[in-house]
Each structure stands twice: as C-alpha cells, then as structure tokens.
Amino acid sequence: MKTHLTQLLTTAAKIIAPEITDLTIILERPKSAEHGDFATNLALVLAKPLKQNPRAIATQIIEALPVSEYIAKTEIAGAGFINFFLSPQSKQVVIKDILNAGAQYGRNNNGNHQKVQVEFVSANPTGPLHVGHGRGAAVGDCLARLLDANGWDVTREFYYNDAGAQIDNLTISVLARCKGISTEHESFPENGYRGEYINDIAAAFLAKHTVVADDIEVTASGDINDLNSIRAFSVAYLRHEQDLDLKAFQIKFDVFSLESALYTTGKVEQTVQALIKSGHTYEDNDALWLKTTDFGDDKDRVMRKTDGGYTYFVPDVAYHTDKWNRGFVRVINEQGADHHSTITRVRAGLQALDIGIPKGWPDYVLHQMVTVMRGGEEVKLSKRAGSYVTLRDLIEEVGCDATRYFLAARRADSQLVFDIDLARSQSNDNPVYYIQYAHARICSVLSQWGGDISSLANANLNPLVTAHETALMQRLSEYPEVVDNAATELAPHMVANYLKELASDLHSYYNEYKFLIEDESLKLARLSLISATQQVLKNGLDLLGVAAKERM
RNA sequence: GCCCCCGUAGCUCAGUGGAUAGAGCAUCCCCCUCCUAAGGGGAGGGUCACACGUUCGAUUCGUGUCGGGGGCACCA
C-alpha cells in the first residue's frame, strides 16, 4: 500500500515539478486517526525549490494524483500535509493476506539467505549465569530470530573464554575450597571467587564426580595436587551449569567455540605471524605491540606481554578471523557495554590483517547494565563476593516468558532496572501476560464458535467498517514493517512494543463488540479479523521466544 | 583527562525533523444476568535536564553545560 501511494506521488511530483529529479517521497503513518492512514510532507519539501506556498503545492499535487480505488479521500492539513484516507476495502485486504500466509506473514527475504552469525552470552565459565547474561541471552536470541524472519541464514554462537587468567583464578579458588579454607580466611586467594558454588565444585571434585557439558566429559581425579584436573573439572562443571541455565531460558546455540581451541589449533599463532607480516607491529620493552592507532585507536596495544603470553584481544582477533573465514558476511556480537573498549581493537586487528574484511565488521549490539532491586535496595552483583542473583533463580521466580520479555522489551542501550519483588509479587502486571491474554481470548472465542477456522480466509469482509475494526486492521498491516525495521535497527524491543499495542487494540475491540452473534455474515467477518490478529500475535511472540498461550 | 550509553509524567519505560509527546504501575471515577475483568472506558499528572545553533518547523539533528551509568592495564 505504501509502495502504491509512493508511486502515485512520484507521478504527481513529476507533473508539477519535472525539474526536480532526486526526490524522496516520505510517507508516514500519522499518530492520530484524524490525520488519515498515511500522510506526506511532500508539499512542504517542495515549497522551497518551487518558491510557492506549501498548501498551494499540495492542491496541485492532489489534482495531479492518478485515480486509485484504494484512496477514499485526500485532504490538506496543517502547514501543507497531504493526508490519505484509505477505503475500508483496501484495509480489509490484510486479513486475507495474513490468513493465507499464516506463520509466514511478516517474514521477508531481505537477507537473501546470506550467512549471519549472532554471538551472544559468551560468559566466562567462572560462575552461573546472572541477570546481565540473561539480558544478553534474551536480546541475542531475539536478534537471531529477527534476522531469520528477514531471510538471513543465522548461526547462534557462544564463545567460551576458557584459557585466560580468570580460569587460573577459578582453579585456585576451587583448590582453596578443596583444602577447606573458608572464604573469610586470610589464606583464601585475595581475588578468588567466593560464591557458594565454588564449594559445590570442590565437593564434587573430591568425590570424583563426572560432569558432561556440551561436547566434553570430565571425571575429577579427586587429587588436590592435580591442578590440571581441578581446572578441567571446574570449567566443565560450570559449563554444565551454564548449559542448564540456557536450557531453563529455552535458548539453543548452534556452535560453542572455545578460546583454548584457538591456541591448540595454532590459529592464535597464525594470526600473530600474519599481523607481524602486515607491518603493523613493533617490539618495545620486550613486548610486541600492534599499531592500532593506524586504525583509529587512541593508543597502541600490547599483543605479547613481557612474560611471553598474549593479551586477550589477540585470540579475539584470531577468533574473528576464523568467523570471517567461515563465510559470515555479517557478524553481530551481543555483549555487555563493559566490552565497549574491545570493539576498536578487534576491528583494528582485522583491518591490519588486510584480508578484505570491511571496516565496520563485525557489528556490535551492546546492552547496558541491569540493576537488580530487591526489597527496595540494589543487589550488587559480584561473583567474587558471592552476592548473586542467578538467571535460574529469576526464571524460577518470575517464569521464563516473563523474564525473556522483560529483558528484551527495552532498548539495549538504556539501563534496565529489574525489580525482583515487582516481577514476582505482581507478575500479572507484566505486559507479557497482557499480550498472551489477548491471544488466549481469541483462542477461546474461536473454540466456542467451533467452526472451521481455515474457512475464515474466504469470509466476506465488507461488514468490517467500525473505528475499532479499521484500527485493528491498520495495526495488523504494520506488522511486516515492524519485522523489517526491528531487524534493520537490531532492536528487538520494537517487536515487544508493537505487540503491546496490538494486544491493546484487540482488548478494546473485544470489550466493545461481541463476536458470536446472530448475524452470520458479520460474525464470520469479525471472526476472520480476530483470527488474523491471533496469527500476528503468535508470529510476534515467536520472535521474542515467548509462548502464545491458548488458555490462561 | 579521553571514549561510549542514557536524561521524556510520582515510578518503570516507549516514541518522533512536523499536527494535541504516549503506555504500564501508582491515585481517583465508571463498566460483567453478556465470548476469560490477567480486560475495557474516563480523570488528573510534562519546561521531553539546560543553553545555543541548523531548519519553514527541534523533544528528535549538531555543539556546549550539568546529572546518572559504563569503559579507558603488559586483566579478561
């Protein structure tokens, strides 16, 4: 419909202003229904070059518009806006589109089956997942679903930093617990992890348990002098715990990548050699530096430390080189905002390699901190202090659907306050129930009607003319744009907001009219409309990974 | 000091180069003999942090100031 109007306006513009060639027609959906279904500021834009009054130009544009069966009325408003009022028939079309397309409605092929990777969560295996990881999980998974709906070939990936200093820290923390040293004791590692789960790992290690995580199986030796065994067991134990966290959150990854594997396969070393060869490195003070300042960084960065070890961004560059070599034309890294400083470095390293990687590759979506409130006070998240709100606690307390919705429904780049008491004690206020309730109500009506739902696609829709109905149809027709925009903006919260509005339209409609009525023609028309609404609610909830419940 | 994000109703948050800036919660009023009241309708509540600039038009874009958060290691 938008394309149709754009064409009409382009035709009209050529007639009244043939000399202007690079004109972009802007059509928007006015906020208020009084201003029609679409509005354009074309006359205002043309006012300056044509040196005429915008309202006069608007009149000329309307006269020059080709006739269209979909336009019921046009009017000039305000400073010179042209408002279009569509005919009821043109709005009803969307119902048939939806009922015929079903789960496909709203999907498009913008991605053209190109390979995109979404890397998210990527928590260190040093503790259970907490709320911040939950935000990354919810946002990342929704991004993946959105890209899929836009025709991309999506891979979900989780990267484990299982090779750095924090793993040594984990190992000595577990060792200390194996020796029975309390977290308060002075001989407990100063920066050690003090969470209760460290004690659990120590106990399991001493009991020679076997743990299975994604692709590994490790049996503890139970020997506290065997640091390698403690290390391997602890990592496997925590990876297993994180697997359970993700399972509880109903998130599945296609690929788990290990930092340690980048060393064992020689990819880190290859990357270092390639960087040296590129001429962007130099030795200084017994360390190897990368001239990241050549690529916009404010200072150069150490690659190889004096002690011979690599800094963390070297395996990061190796990892992203590997991603590139695996054929991902697009990579989106969903991370906490505290990773901000790595972006420039990783991109600089990839540019230095000069292997054809585009400048802005990879993309980043950074989510801001989650503040957790309990009892009116902020709960400090500290793995080391052991004060903790785990993702699994949260899911158990407020439910998977509500947690996912809550964490994905806000813009990633604004800070989020998660009030546990509110989420738990007043969980009915959570908007996710409002949306699910709209879906359940429709299911209930359709089930009481008892007719053949597939026949609704053939219903005569002409009776649908009330304000509530046109508003609902209008909303339904916006869904494909929402799917498109949310993916373009990498902003899943746009879907959540849309669904809230759609549910609101449905609830208003539901309260205003009865559906199961005597008038057969009107009944079928209305049932078609709510059936289409049900489909769109379901499609949208699916993008968020939230269940479309049939009963509440 | 430098870099990034944010500042919108009492609270939590949407939103937009354009017409009267929205929702939920909270407060107040109304609506089930009727398809799920986990709902609907209405009222009150705003200097869109502040200033200057760009523009026909700025809450939206730019610059600066002030506030909040996060980064600025030979940690990850």
Side-chain angles (χ1 to χ4, degrees):
Chain A
M1 186 54 58
K2 206 168 174 176
T3 344
H4 177 64
L5 288 175
T6 306
Q7 279 166 3
L8 298 183
L9 284 167
T10 309
T11 310
K14 272 183 190 151
I15 294 168
I16 67 158
E19 67 278 13
I20 297 171
T21 49
D22 58 339
L23 197 61
T24 339
I25 309 282
I26 296 170
L27 271 172
E28 56 183 32
R29 298 177 183 276
K31 276 171 280 188
S32 160
E34 292 169 39
H35 299 130
D37 300 298
F38 285 97
T40 182
N41 62 351
L42 184 58
L44 294 164
V45 176
L46 289 174
K48 203 167 192 184
L50 293 180
K51 293 187 176 127
Q52 287 182 49
N53 179 321
R55 289 188 70 104
I57 296 174
T59 312
Q60 295 170 44
I61 294 174
I62 288 172
E63 280 167 4
L65 272 183
V67 178
S68 165
E69 53 173 328
Y70 293 126
I71 299 175
K73 182 171 74 155
T74 54
E75 70 179 28
I76 302 169
F81 294 97
I82 302 173
N83 296 335
F84 294 93
F85 293 80
L86 303 183
S87 62
Q89 287 71 26
S90 72
K91 294 186 179 183
Q92 292 158 2
V93 171
V94 70
I95 294 177
K96 291 199 192 298
D97 287 350
I98 294 167
L99 294 179
N100 288 325
Q104 296 299 309
Y105 180 71
R107 296 176 65 92
N108 63 59
N109 193 29
N110 292 345
N112 204 20
H113 304 292
Q114 295 176 92
K115 283 181 71 173
V116 60
Q117 181 205 66
V118 182
E119 183 205 321
F120 60 112
V121 185
S122 296
N124 293 338
T126 54
L129 300 183
H130 58 64
V131 188
H133 298 127
R135 187 174 196 184
V139 172
D141 190 55
C142 291
L143 283 172
R145 288 164 186 263
L146 265 172
L147 290 165
D148 177 67
N150 280 269
W152 291 83
D153 176 9
V154 183
T155 299
R156 291 168 168 83
E157 186 148 325
F158 189 125
Y159 178 63
Y160 271 109
N161 289 105
D162 63 339
Q166 81 283 6
I167 300 300
D168 296 335
N169 195 7
L170 171 69
T171 309
I172 58 171
S173 301
V174 173
L175 173 64
R177 285 298 221 164
C178 285
K179 290 176 176 171
I181 300 170
S182 88
T183 53
E184 285 78 38
H185 196 272
E186 58 183 23
S187 63
F188 194 86
E190 195 184 348
N191 293 318
Y193 297 113
R194 288 177 160 77
E196 197 48 42
Y197 63 92
I198 297 292
N199 215 16
D200 298 341
I201 301 172
F205 179 79
L206 293 173
K208 301 184 184 180
H209 283 186
T210 298
V211 288
V212 178
D214 187 53
D215 54 357
I216 49 166
E217 179 173 325
V218 175
T219 301
S221 69
D223 174 2
I224 62 169
N225 294 313
D226 187 353
L227 279 183
N228 283 334
S229 180
I230 295 178
R231 175 194 305 263
F233 180 76
S234 301
V235 168
Y237 185 100
L238 287 170
R239 283 189 58 194
H240 173 68
E241 286 298 309
Q242 293 186 353
D243 284 350
L244 295 178
D245 293 339
L246 293 169
K247 197 175 174 190
F249 212 33
Q250 293 176 30
I251 288 181
K252 284 187 185 141
F253 284 89
D254 302 303
V255 178
F256 287 88
S257 281
L258 301 182
E259 183 187 8
S260 56
L262 294 169
Y263 287 96
T264 55
T265 57
K267 283 175 182 162
V268 170
E269 198 52 40
Q270 282 168 27
T271 301
V272 171
Q273 292 310 319
L275 285 170
I276 291 172
K277 215 173 161 186
S278 77
H280 292 286
T281 63
Y282 59 91
E283 300 258 357
D284 188 34
N285 282 333
D286 293 330
L288 181 66
W289 296 69
L290 180 67
K291 278 191 262 182
T292 53
T293 47
D294 290 351
F295 306 97
D297 205 351
D298 53 359
K299 56 182 272 197
D300 292 339
R301 307 289 168 176
V302 169
M303 290 171 58
R304 192 176 57 227
K305 297 178 278 183
T306 318
D307 68 6
Y310 294 118
T311 55
Y312 76 94
F313 94 92
V314 176
D316 266 5
V317 173
Y319 177 41
H320 282 86
T321 306
D322 186 53
K323 288 186 183 187
W324 177 256
N325 289 335
R326 281 192 272 155
F328 293 111
V329 298
R330 225 178 145 190
V331 164
I332 295 157
N333 293 327
E334 204 293 344
Q335 299 175 325
D338 53 339
H339 289 76
H340 164 256
S341 61
T342 70
I343 298 176
T344 312
R345 263 169 259 183
V346 169
R347 284 181 179 161
L350 294 171
Q351 289 306 300
L353 287 169
D354 195 22
I355 52 174
I357 297 177
K359 257 186 178 169
W361 191 98
D363 278 335
Y364 284 84
V365 172
L366 301 182
H367 62 260
Q368 296 289 318
M369 296 290 114
V370 180
T371 308
V372 180
M373 303 289 285
R374 175 177 262 152
E377 284 182 12
E378 183 178 343
V379 181
K380 290 286 184 190
L381 292 174
S382 165
K383 262 186 274 188
R384 288 178 184 159
S387 130
Y388 222 73
V389 179
T390 68
L391 179 58
R392 238 186 294 168
D393 290 343
L394 211 54
I395 294 168
E396 278 166 23
E397 286 179 15
V398 308
C400 182
D401 283 344
T403 306
R404 284 186 76 130
Y405 183 90
F406 205 86
L407 292 172
R410 283 160 169 71
R411 288 171 51 192
D413 55 11
S414 86
Q415 287 159 238
L416 168 63
V417 176
F418 200 119
D419 187 329
I420 292 182
D421 301 313
L422 187 76
R424 181 167 43 176
S425 69
Q426 302 182 14
S427 59
N428 287 351
D429 295 332
N430 193 308
V432 73
Y433 296 108
Y434 182 79
I435 298 166
Q436 289 179 318
Y437 184 42
H439 185 268
R441 274 182 145 176
I442 296 171
C443 289
S444 173
V445 172
L446 291 176
S447 128
Q448 284 173 59
W449 169 55
D452 176 11
I453 291 171
S454 63
S455 72
L456 292 174
N458 304 316
N460 171 19
L461 302 172
N462 285 331
L464 300 176
V465 293
T466 67
H468 282 84
E469 285 156 347
T470 49
L472 189 49
M473 290 186 286
Q474 170 77 27
R475 187 80 68 190
L476 292 171
S477 70
E478 289 166 16
Y479 179 69
E481 291 168 35
V482 172
V483 174
D484 188 340
N485 290 339
T488 305
E489 303 286 322
L490 300 176
H493 76 278
M494 294 172 74
V495 176
N497 288 333
Y498 170 81
L499 289 175
K500 230 166 32 178
E501 287 167 353
L502 177 58
S504 172
D505 289 338
L506 186 278
H507 286 308
S508 291
Y509 184 40
Y510 184 98
N511 269 271
E512 192 70 18
Y513 299 101
K514 276 188 68 70
F515 307 125
L516 302 175
I517 48 177
E518 291 294 316
D519 183 337
E520 188 69 10
S521 163
L522 184 57
K523 177 175 81 180
L524 290 177
R526 287 180 175 171
L527 290 176
S528 301
L529 175 55
I530 63 168
S531 178
T533 305
Q534 178 203 18
Q535 183 70 57
V536 174
L537 284 168
K538 188 173 187 315
N539 293 0
L541 284 170
D542 197 48
L543 285 178
L544 297 175
V546 173
K549 295 188 177 175
E550 300 196 355
R551 200 170 286 121
M552 298 195 63

